[in-house]
Amino acid sequence: MANILSTGTSALIAFQRALSTVSHNVANINTPGFSRQTVDFEARSPQFIGTGYVGRGTQISDVRRVADDLANARLIDSGGELARLQQLSSLSGRIDSLMSESTTGVAGLWSNFFDSVSALSSNASAPAERQNMLGQANALTTRFQQLQGQFDRLGTEVNSGLAASATEVNRLTSEIAQLNGRIGTAQTASPDLLDRRDQMIRDLVSLTGGTAVQQDGGAINVFSAGGQALVVGIQASQLTTVADPYRPERQQLALQSQGQTIRIDERVMGGKIGGLLEFREQVLDPTQAELGRIALALGTAFNDGHAAGVDQYGDAGGAFFNVPAPAVNGHAANTGTARLTASVDDLGAVDGRNLVLQFRSGAWTATDAATGTSFPVTGSGAPGDPLRAAGIALEVDGAAQEGDRFLLQPTAQAARGLSVAITDPGRIAAATPVQVQATLGNLGSGKPGTVRIPDAADPALRTPSTIEFLDGDQYTIDGDGPFAYTPGDTISANGWSFVLDGIPAAGDTFSMTPTAPGSSNNGNAALLAGFDDARALNGGSLSLNGAISGLTTAVGSAARHAGYAAEAQATLHAQAENARESISGVNLDEEAANMLRLQQAYQAAAQIISTADTLFQSLLGAVRR
């Protein structure tokens, strides 16, 4: 009778705990990372009575979670990659919108400006056309500055994202290390603690990328995508942000572990942090640099063309745009007094890439800041012999010490500083400095074409000159010569040049005279109107218009590529989640069936106890009689 009571009691207790486990599963159906739990039953050790062993009921051997390590590992990996691509896609899409939208992009205002220059070339003396050109120029430079401002804000967002992510990483690594200590051996670990740790590891890897490795004793070590140890047993590393040694406003990542601060290679980070860094390095920085290169090319080339003309006051054209000089920043650890001043030496050779200039063994070297590729450096750095690298000239002031380094940003900040240099519409140099006319008595069919100014600095540029043809194949200039002539040849002297259309006859003369103030001459404006098609970049192979469209296309392509990759990874991540859920997820139908089965078993165990009680009472009654 005692055995019956003991058997019923053990069953009642076991089924009660099993019902509690089922209820726990149902209650946590919406808990992120929860793995359903199952109860393992085993028979209690039998008892020897009389001539044999008698069963003693059942007991719970284990309450374990239903989980698969491979499915969890796959979910961790896919989650980190998805977070990286989603972050990259989101921020790249914002850059694409800035560049492609008509209300924020530069292409529309770029066209408007050159249209206004073309309109001025049709009516060079009209005040309205001159004022319109200044207005369009100011609108264009303002748009360059606005875009640079938006890029700066995105850079600030990246800094804030890195700082916030570092704080969250530190919280997660600390808690994971604490859970490693609490869990101890995996055989005795609480299923809920294991789930909580797995969920935190997934959250951590979604920030940093990387892997989780089970070690002996049940603890899990977590490493970033670059292999840095974030959690080892009960030891947690701390992630922090440090200032860039060249640009203090720019934040970088470092790992604090065992009293040391180690800068992290940004190219090997994964997760959300990796997406932020990849966006900054591969989308934001190149876009800023290329936009700056276009601004630099516009200002430099247009200023050169503008200097070749004269304004309504008869003065030589000055700078139309204010063009900022390339930026050079010294490393925070420099010990010398050297300061570098940069200027554009060869616009066609400027590609926008940042260079690191280093003083070693008494000489300067230059390497690509992103790839480490070496660039040739010439010159000594003295005022008459500047350093020259990648189209930039640099003068060195002060003394550099061994190992001193400088970051050269040829174009990264150019869009911010581009502005219109003149405010008086009369200062627009729409006219050529000189103009050529055929003498009325000429007998030939030669007519002078557009006067060009290949050398606006020639001191004799505006000196009157006479070109006289001795016959159809030779001429003199102010008595100098004769010079051989073939129809179509360029006639040049004193910094000017022109081509005759037709065939001159012997005795024909042409007069080159200075352009008078207030002239309606439009020669220089006509040339300036075509500067958007001038092949000023990539060694003379890329026009300014081509650079604008190329930048817009490159940004759009990067955004689309990141978007497609994020969509594909989202599908893979959903598959990984479904695979885990198929193993560890809570199914309400299954739990309802288990609950009904266990409820019936519980009632049967209660009936066993009731039967034992009835038998015991009957025995007591019989003894009393």
Side-chain angles (χ1 to χ4, degrees), residues 297-384:
L298 170 65
T300 302
F302 202 89
N303 280 353
D304 289 345
H306 193 258
V310 293
D311 59 26
Q312 285 194 312
Y313 302 100
D315 297 328
F320 186 85
F321 290 107
N322 293 314
V323 183
V328 185
N329 299 315
H331 193 281
N334 286 356
T335 58
T337 60
R339 298 291 182 270
L340 274 61
T341 303
S343 60
V344 176
D345 180 56
D346 179 4
L347 181 62
V350 176
D351 58 14
R353 287 183 288 186
N354 295 341
L355 299 182
V356 173
L357 299 163
Q358 187 170 18
F359 188 74
R360 293 187 298 184
S361 303
W364 290 92
T365 63
T367 56
D368 189 307
T371 65
T373 304
S374 295
F375 278 77
V377 180
T378 62
S380 64

Side-chain angles (χ1 to χ4, degrees), residues 445-447 469 471-475 483-491 498-505:
S445 61
K447 295 181 180 179
F469 278 84
D471 50 41
D473 55 8
Q474 55 182 341
Y475 64 92
F483 305 102
Y485 178 77
T486 300
D489 282 356
T490 298
I491 300 172
F498 68 94
V499 176
L500 286 176
D501 182 18
I503 300 174

Side-chain angles (χ1 to χ4, degrees), residues 573-596:
H573 185 64
Q575 292 174 353
E577 283 186 321
N578 292 336
R580 182 197 175 276
E581 287 299 308
S582 67
I583 298 170
S584 303
V586 176
N587 185 296
L588 288 179
D589 292 337
E590 181 182 357
E591 298 302 327
N594 288 338
M595 185 170 289
L596 181 60

